[in-house]
Amino acid sequence: MNINFWLNGVNRHAEISPDTLLIDFLRKQGCFSVKRGCETANCGLCTVLMDGRPVLSCSTLAARIEGKKIVTLEGMQREAQEFGSFLANEGAEQCGFCNPGFIMNVFAMLNEIKDPTEEQIKEYLAGNLCRCSGFVSQTRSILKFLKYKKAQEEA
């Protein structure tokens, strides 16, 4: 089956098997930020953006991206690096394995909710599993990042 899609801003065409999972397809395209975790759609490690909304690539067929815009961490390096510094400064990236899916969900949340409360942040990120921390430092890094972005907009 032939699919046409956008991957990180580039129009692409590919031949796939109808049962190909999106995670496997994206990794074959060189998107190694998309990681396997639980393979049961419970940990958020495989999160990518499809038309701006987060999807779990481990439970999505690649055929579903026909005509869609897919963004992985590779497609948003500048934004991820900027936010990643806040994660690092708060000690929130201990092993870093969950960071790509976590960062994808943070940016999806910010596209949807311009000024989220701490409760909304916790609710939105509930599908991300981090085995190293209790999300206190991640939440703190998001709040500081939001404050920084707001100050930039006001300047």
Side-chain angles (χ1 to χ4, degrees), residues 61-82:
L61 292 173
R64 296 216 30 224
I65 70 171
E66 170 64 37
K68 307 279 188 196
K69 292 179 181 174
I70 305 301
V71 177
T72 66
L73 199 59
E74 287 83 359
M76 48 188 309
Q77 286 295 306
R78 185 180 50 78
E79 299 93 333
Q81 186 175 10
E82 182 179 47

Side-chain angles (χ1 to χ4, degrees), residues 40-61:
T40 59
N42 286 308
C43 71
L45 288 174
C46 66
T47 301
V48 299
L49 302 181
M50 183 182 332
D51 289 342
R53 302 191 63 78
V55 297
L56 299 170
S57 63
C58 75
S59 61
T60 302
L61 292 173

